[in-house]
Amino acid sequence: MAAIYSGIHLKLKSPQTPWEDKLKLARFAWISNQCLLPNKEQVLLDWCTHALTGWYNQKVEFSLNVLEGLWCYLDDLLHSKKLHSLLIQGKTVSLRLNMAQLLLERLQECARVGSKSPVCVSTILSVCQGLLSSPALSSVFTTKYELMVDLLAKICSLACHELQQPLVKDVAVTCQDEMMTECLQTQPTKDLDNSQIEPITESPPDSDPPEPKKNLRSANLYDILLQVLSCYLSVQRQQANPNRVFTMVTNQLIQTLVLLRHLMTSGEFAPFHIHLRLRQQLCRDIRVKIDSILQLALFPSEHLISYKEELLPSKEDSGKRGPGGAKGPLKPVSAILSKLSAPGYCEPALFYTVKSNTLSLLFKFFQESYGKGRGESEEAHKMLCFYFLTRLVPALDLSLDGHSPAKAEKPVSVSPGQKSPPASLSSPESWSLALLAVESLLSQALSADIYNVAADRIRHGEVQLNFYRALGQMLFSQAQPSIPAWYRCLKVLMSLNHLILEPDLDQLLSSAWVNSECMEVRVQRARQLMVCSLLQIYTKLRQLPRLFSELLSVICQPVLDHLRPPLLSEGISASLRTCLLDTPPSQGVEICSLVLESIRKYVLPDLVKEEGGSEKMETDGGGDDKGIKKEIKVDREREHASLKLSSLSQLLHAILFSLKTLDNTSPLPIVRQSQGLMQEMQQVLKELLHVLSSEKKAAVKSNTSSVQKTPKKGKKNLDHKEVQKVSESKMGALWEQKTQEAALLLKYTWVEVDTLFYIHCSKYTSLDSVQTAAVSETEGRAPVLTHIESYLSEDNFIAGLQPSCSPVSCLLLKLLTLQQTKKILLDTPLLSEPSTAVLLNKAAQFILAKSECEVSLNGEQVWDGQIGSVNTNSYLVAHWYLVTSNLPLIAPYLSSEDVGCVADALVSSLLSRQTDGGKDRSPGYLTISLISSRLLQSPVLAELPSLFSATLRSLTQRIVGVLKAAHVRKACPTLLKFQEKGTGAKSLKSNASQPLPTLVDMETIVEDILSSSKTGEVSVLLTDAQSKELVNLLQILTDLNPDGMNSEDLSSMFLLLLFMLTSTSCQSYQMAMNPPESGDGVVFLVKLLRILTCLLEGKNFQSVLKLIHGGTVLQAVVSSLLWHSNNGRFRATRNPDWLDLVKTLQGFIRCTVQLIIIRNSSVRLNLDQFASYLTSTEIASREIMAPSSATVSAKADPQASILSVHLLLASLTSFSQAMTSNLGKSKPMDQTLTQMLTRTTASLGPAVESVLKPRTVSKSFLQPASVLGQAFVVEVVTVMLHCELSSLSVEEESKQKNTQLTLSHMSLYQSICQQILKEISSAHRPMDFLVSSFHFLSAFYKAVKKMAGEREEEQGEEKKGGKELDELYMQILQNIHRLLTASWLSPDDVCELEPAVHELLCHLVEKGTTGQFNLLLLMVREGLDTGQLRAGNYREVLSAVIIIKLLSCCQLPEPCSKALWLIAPQIISAMVFLVRSSSQDVSLTLPFTVPTVTSVTSLLRQGEGRIANPHHVILVLGALQSVPLDHLTPLIYQSAFLAVHEALFAIIQCHPQVMLNAAPSFLNVFHRLMASIMQEGRQRADADTGQDSDVYLRCSRLIERMYSHIAATAESFTTLSAFMVAQYVTELQKVTLRPDIKLHLTEGIYQILDLCMEQDIKFLTAGLQMGVREVFNELYGSYTHYHKAQRQGEDKYTV
């Protein structure tokens, strides 16, 4: 054997040995330990690599199979554990240097599409992976930097090609010609570019078969790519020459790397990632590596001087420097930009996308590398970043009109070495991508604070301002108002400095606001944010009048068309309101005056035109054409003027309604200015009304003259001009309509503001009262009555205005009428006059507009709440909103018919909302159905008895209409009565004024209910459509407050619903062969039962029990459901629907029994009736449950029987629970209830035993216990046990000495207990079973303890009973511990279990012995083992933590309490250590850290006055510092935040003595909370709404609350108040908070400012840094203006 092995080396070298045999020998030599070759590993590696290089150099010939085998052999060698263990031991093994070149050539072959490589790609990649996995082997690449660069370039090209394959296929199909043309023009030479051409010439089906192979190697490819990137990055860092690295990266890597980065991170390619099995984490790791390579290579610290020389303008010869630039060794910016701008390295469709994304990325790297400096150099570094920015923007093909920040930067858009095509100065390839890139660049510049306005002006000649201004001018000259990023760019420019866009403020307002017509949602959102930012900036600058002056000039510019979008959207209006509240009152009045001045100066002259010209044309014989043209021109000018007037009036309305009203504290100059404003507005209004009245007279005059002067021979001429005249009349109607709308809006605004000023400010004189006083003196009437008559009378309309069908006019007239109605209601003497009531009735009818309410209100109309947006589509919504929001004012003056109309409209709209599914609307938008649902849920409706009753009447009529249309199985007196009365949908109007009791014959319904309760049969069959209609009606009824119903309405509605429950059924249930699959019938019954239960709680329900007994009601309901069940109508019901029905039935029974007992009238009679019914029926059901085989084989339905028993057991259980809860109130009542409980318990016991008994009658027979569910069975047994214990407690008082009290079903309870203890923690169990099991164990332990105590007293069996109790105690504790450590319990499950576990622990320790309690403490102490947490078994520790929390809240006996609080400090110390340890792992935050902090909080709260040493409380503060609060999901963040906050609250509330020493530690923890909510609550564009945003809003409220608690304990924090304010403003300066969150935080810090003394304010003003000081000054100004003034006003009334 040795001879054979020793010749292997010679045979491998021998040319006579076949290559197949050589390969076998080489494999054998590697794996065999008996083959002894000196330096075997090196020899075999050299042989293999020599053979491979020889074949590729054509020096050796062998088959392709041998070639593949050699590569696989090399792969096996490089991946073998044997080789790696030798390398680890230090043995020298190396590869030939030419192996690196060989691999690079093979990778180039793989990347070339169409080339058929003889070796599998995955093998080549695996060889690379094995080679790079060891430093010794990878030295063939790492020792030569150029080889490493080449390897990375090849691997990246291969990865890019793989990711672009789907894109190439798509492009090949859609645009082959374009791609071919592009490829011929660019003539790429790289393999990657060839890969873009060749698939086009191939047929796509040919490339489909190898796709699985590609997928198999793709996942491996990107793992290898990450490995190569890591290896290259380490080599790059070792390079001593940064110039060399920069050159290699820019020449060979940058194009491929940025393309690969885009393909890996772009969401557009996410489906391809899934296709290639790319993990998200892998993509993220690759991106991080690419970023590190680019940043370290392109922007090293050594190149800072080169960048300065190229970017910064020269101070000496700036005028002589040409495009060659600086004289440094590098021109890095030019080199980078030329490579990025060179085409050909990616698909043309991706070129601009990759370039634009890369430019913003490069700016980010540049800032991180060079943007930070100290002292004086910081400004220089920021200027360098700015000059780099000026080179990046032109690279996006954006022309800044030849602007350059310095003369040296003239060739800014053309880099050396880069051809400058003529298109470079034209628009970019994609405006959307270009603007996104510009936005990103500007946002980074803003966040990095590279623009210092003062330094730029003083030291740099405003170079930055000029650049940004040129950029802004480019945005305006090539405006893109349909792209959201365009608005965001403008927003960022304004945030940089408002002076950038101020010279073009008119263009900004015109293009981006007033005349922006794109109504796409994303564009509207971006435009709204930009406008809101603009308003906020000018508000802070106190230059809001300047902004509005420009805005008014833009509005008054000539209108190109009449399609201007609404000026004020809902979001802009809200922002305007906020800004005007922060504006000085004088500026608000000034803005209003500017609006009025614009109306008088620019609008009114165009509305008032000379009429003499037209009259002159009439007299001239041949001037008809000229006259018509002139009239058309005049009307067009008037139309444009009316549109401007409409915008200005809406703006004035919004401003005046947003200003703070005058009051008695307003300065006299402001009052005088406001008085003058109102007078000016009144004058403008008069002029407008004069224009309209004169136009009306002119129209009448022209009509009469045209009738008199109609020519006899002008028929053809008239026909020729007919269309022109029609369009002229339409144009005239339009300007009159718009002018009238504006006049009415100004009139309404003026009246409302004048009235408000007059009410709140005694120094203000109402102009309305002054004007109308003179009129009323002559007429002898109150001015208000005169006004309201003018609105209601067509003959005496406002100053000659004609009633218009315009929606806005109608709405405004109603608003004016409503305003005058309010004035009348405020005038008490006026109300006593008889004419006033008539006018109020007319006004209410006018506002209601019954004809408009009768219109179908089930459309899709939407309204945003702005008067300016009211049109034909949204008018019904606005009108309905007006009516419903003012019902308390107008309802008392409406007739019963009108009230019925409102009720019908309300019900109709609610039904339409349910039928269309309540489609989602944008927030802030109103629909008719939404308004109706809000009215239904508001307390207002219950306070309007007439409308409430009418709504019930409308619902009743619709319900009866459905019942009348249903199929009747047998004669039913109730339905006959309905038919006789003709009640239904056809007679809604005729019965609108009838009271509800007349529509429903209650006596007849009671008779029907009584008869059906005896038989259980139904008399009315409903179709599916009818049942759905009834469900919709019942849903409306569910939202009505039963306390708002009077006795008659409540009785009628309850009896009608009870009749529906007992006498109706779904018709589809009758189809026995094909039962319904949907649960509509069950949903209908559930709705009915819920409403009946709700009506039981009405304050007037006593009247129902005068008509029908409570026992009869219970019997009727249960018998009806049993009839449905026995007839198989619940057979196909889904399990959740069935359980819902059972729970609803139980709730109804409990409420009814409770009501019977509370009423205390015929209690025994009612309860006995129901108990007799249940127990007698239950006996019959037991016969069903144990059928003989003959019965089963017959017609009986086993499932129906089980469901019937389920209903009976549920009824008995809830009946018993209701009676048990009422024991102990009075002895006679206890006696009655005990008798009933004895009867029900006697029936429940055998029934449960029968259910638990297994069935062996038939295979098809269902096991009852499995159908009913474990949880339900345990719940029933628990109720039985409670009933027996309650009865025993009552009997104990009257028992005799020798009488022994026992539990009649103790064996059943014991068996259930053993089963629960066996199953509760053995495997995954449903939560309802676990909860019901804990409830049972609580009751059972209480019963066992009670029985043991009695035996102890009577028989002296202390030892035996005590032993059994201790065993049960330990079993329960062990099962609790095992369950809480179960891996399948989620944090939510634990929270759900805690109340039940707490109840059980309370029973265990309530009267427990010290020995038992010590066992519990021992278990807890063993559980608090940090070793378990380190080992990753946190659930073992979590169980002890939860038990501690629950135990601390239990009522303990005195010895046990002393024992617990004696070791509480040790427990706190242990849990503090656990919190610190678990906080290091963020994944444990929700499952472990938060529960542990909550447990510590519970100990602190319960330990008030018991924890003597403050050191342990301070320890807790130290632990809270480590709880993670950063980079968490909203749910986890909320949990962590709440846990820390509650711990702080417990400390400040329960341990105030600690705060004297621990206040700094306390504030440090609280500062973490405050800083975290500022970070999470910052503005994030579209992420400011939704469920996640509510999380941060709730947390901000808690911060405000904590500030108030800190302020309440001022003695501990007085010296630290200034420190707290400083912390707050420092954090506030870093972020821009959401307004709702900022509101709460600001209110909180105001309370800390109350604690600050004058010297604290001076200290803060002097000590804070520049930017922070500005934030503080703004905060203190608002504090002084709002909070301090209010507090001082309140102090006047405090003692």
Side-chain angles (χ1 to χ4, degrees), residues 736-747:
E736 289 178 26
Q737 175 186 320
K738 287 293 181 183
T739 306
Q740 180 167 316
E741 288 174 3
L744 283 172
L745 180 57
L746 290 175
K747 174 72 174 176

Side-chain angles (χ1 to χ4, degrees), residues 1008-1155:
D1008 276 340
I1009 292 170
L1010 289 173
S1011 62
S1012 63
S1013 67
K1014 295 173 183 176
T1015 61
E1017 294 186 12
V1018 299
S1019 54
V1020 181
L1021 295 179
L1022 302 169
T1023 63
D1024 288 339
Q1026 289 169 342
S1027 64
K1028 286 179 180 177
E1029 187 177 352
L1030 286 175
V1031 166
N1032 291 334
L1033 290 167
L1034 294 176
Q1035 181 59 46
I1036 298 173
L1037 196 56
T1038 305
D1039 293 329
L1040 289 175
N1041 185 359
D1043 289 339
M1045 302 182 190
N1046 57 42
S1047 301
E1048 293 79 8
D1049 290 349
L1050 182 59
S1051 302
S1052 302
M1053 183 56 71
F1054 183 85
L1055 291 175
L1056 178 61
L1057 296 178
L1058 189 57
F1059 169 76
M1060 290 168 60
L1061 181 69
T1062 58
S1063 303
T1064 61
S1065 173
C1066 286
Q1067 198 168 3
S1068 57
Y1069 281 162
Q1070 303 301 311
M1071 303 163 63
M1073 298 302 294
N1074 186 20
E1077 295 183 3
S1078 65
D1080 290 339
V1082 176
V1083 171
F1084 174 59
L1085 293 174
V1086 168
K1087 288 277 185 190
L1088 271 175
L1089 280 171
R1090 282 182 178 159
I1091 297 170
L1092 289 170
T1093 307
C1094 185
L1095 294 180
L1096 284 170
E1097 298 171 356
K1099 62 182 181 182
N1100 296 318
F1101 190 78
Q1102 304 288 345
S1103 59
V1104 178
L1105 295 180
K1106 295 177 183 177
L1107 300 170
I1108 185 170
H1109 291 299
T1112 306
V1113 171
L1114 290 169
Q1115 182 177 339
V1117 170
V1118 176
S1119 64
S1120 173
L1121 294 178
L1122 283 174
W1123 184 87
H1124 283 83
S1125 177
N1126 291 333
N1127 284 275
R1129 306 197 175 186
F1130 298 139
R1131 194 166 54 241
T1133 303
R1134 293 186 293 266
N1135 192 46
D1137 293 334
W1138 170 252
L1139 294 178
D1140 202 14
L1141 176 63
V1142 172
K1143 289 179 181 176
T1144 310
L1145 173 64
Q1146 289 183 302
F1148 176 77
I1149 292 173
R1150 279 194 290 266
C1151 282
T1152 310
V1153 173
Q1154 185 74 19
L1155 185 66

Side-chain angles (χ1 to χ4, degrees), residues 278-319:
L278 264 175
R279 302 185 310 276
Q280 189 176 3
Q281 183 60 43
L282 180 62
C283 294
R284 191 180 297 115
D285 293 341
I286 291 173
R287 176 182 60 80
V288 169
K289 295 293 182 186
I290 292 174
D291 290 353
S292 300
I293 290 171
L294 292 175
Q295 185 168 2
L296 292 173
L298 301 180
F299 308 111
S301 57
E302 294 84 356
H303 284 182
L304 178 60
I305 297 175
S306 299
Y307 279 107
K308 285 183 177 180
E309 289 179 352
E310 183 178 7
L311 291 174
L312 295 178
S314 174
K315 294 181 181 178
E316 296 127 296
D317 54 348
S318 59

Side-chain angles (χ1 to χ4, degrees), residues 96 103 231 523 553 755 1314 1319 1395 1446 1467 1524 1556 1567 1617 1643:
R96 294 171 180 264
L103 276 172
C231 188
V523 174
S553 66
T755 306
Q1314 293 305 316
E1319 295 184 7
L1446 301 177
I1467 294 174
L1556 296 173
H1567 174 67
S1617 55
E1643 288 295 329

Side-chain angles (χ1 to χ4, degrees), residues 636-656:
R636 185 174 288 112
E637 290 177 357
R638 284 177 166 177
E639 180 189 357
H640 291 170
S642 67
L643 291 172
K644 297 173 190 174
L645 177 63
S646 179
S647 298
L648 292 172
S649 61
Q650 291 170 27
L651 184 62
L652 183 60
H653 167 79
I655 294 170
L656 280 171

Side-chain angles (χ1 to χ4, degrees), residues 173-228:
V173 174
T174 56
C175 51
Q176 291 184 8
D177 297 337
E178 295 179 15
M179 285 290 296
M180 287 297 294
T181 306
E182 181 70 23
C183 294
L184 289 172
Q185 287 175 355
T186 55
Q187 295 181 352
T189 58
K190 293 187 178 180
D191 299 328
L192 177 63
D193 301 317
N194 294 335
S195 72
Q196 298 166 9
I197 304 170
E198 295 181 23
I200 298 170
T201 61
E202 297 175 4
S203 58
D206 295 341
S207 59
D208 288 339
E211 203 168 348
K213 261 188 187 179
K214 288 184 179 181
N215 281 352
L216 285 174
R217 73 171 170 92
S218 293
N220 191 33
L221 167 64
Y222 295 100
D223 289 324
I224 297 167
L225 171 63
L226 180 61
Q227 189 177 11
V228 173

Side-chain angles (χ1 to χ4, degrees), residues 1549-1609:
Q1549 187 183 43
C1550 304
H1551 302 274
Q1553 73 282 0
V1554 179
M1555 299 312 301
L1556 296 173
N1557 298 322
S1561 302
F1562 181 93
L1563 290 182
N1564 284 337
V1565 180
F1566 178 63
H1567 174 67
R1568 287 192 71 228
L1569 288 183
M1570 185 265 296
S1572 71
I1573 193 57
M1574 280 192 174
Q1575 285 299 318
E1576 301 296 341
R1578 62 188 185 275
Q1579 291 184 8
R1580 298 178 181 178
D1582 295 335
D1584 287 351
T1585 57
Q1587 189 174 1
D1588 293 348
S1589 66
D1590 293 339
V1591 167
Y1592 305 125
L1593 183 60
R1594 287 193 290 270
C1595 293
S1596 66
R1597 289 196 189 102
L1598 293 177
I1599 291 288
E1600 180 186 1
R1601 190 181 78 160
M1602 183 58 72
Y1603 271 128
S1604 66
H1605 289 300
I1606 291 173
T1609 57

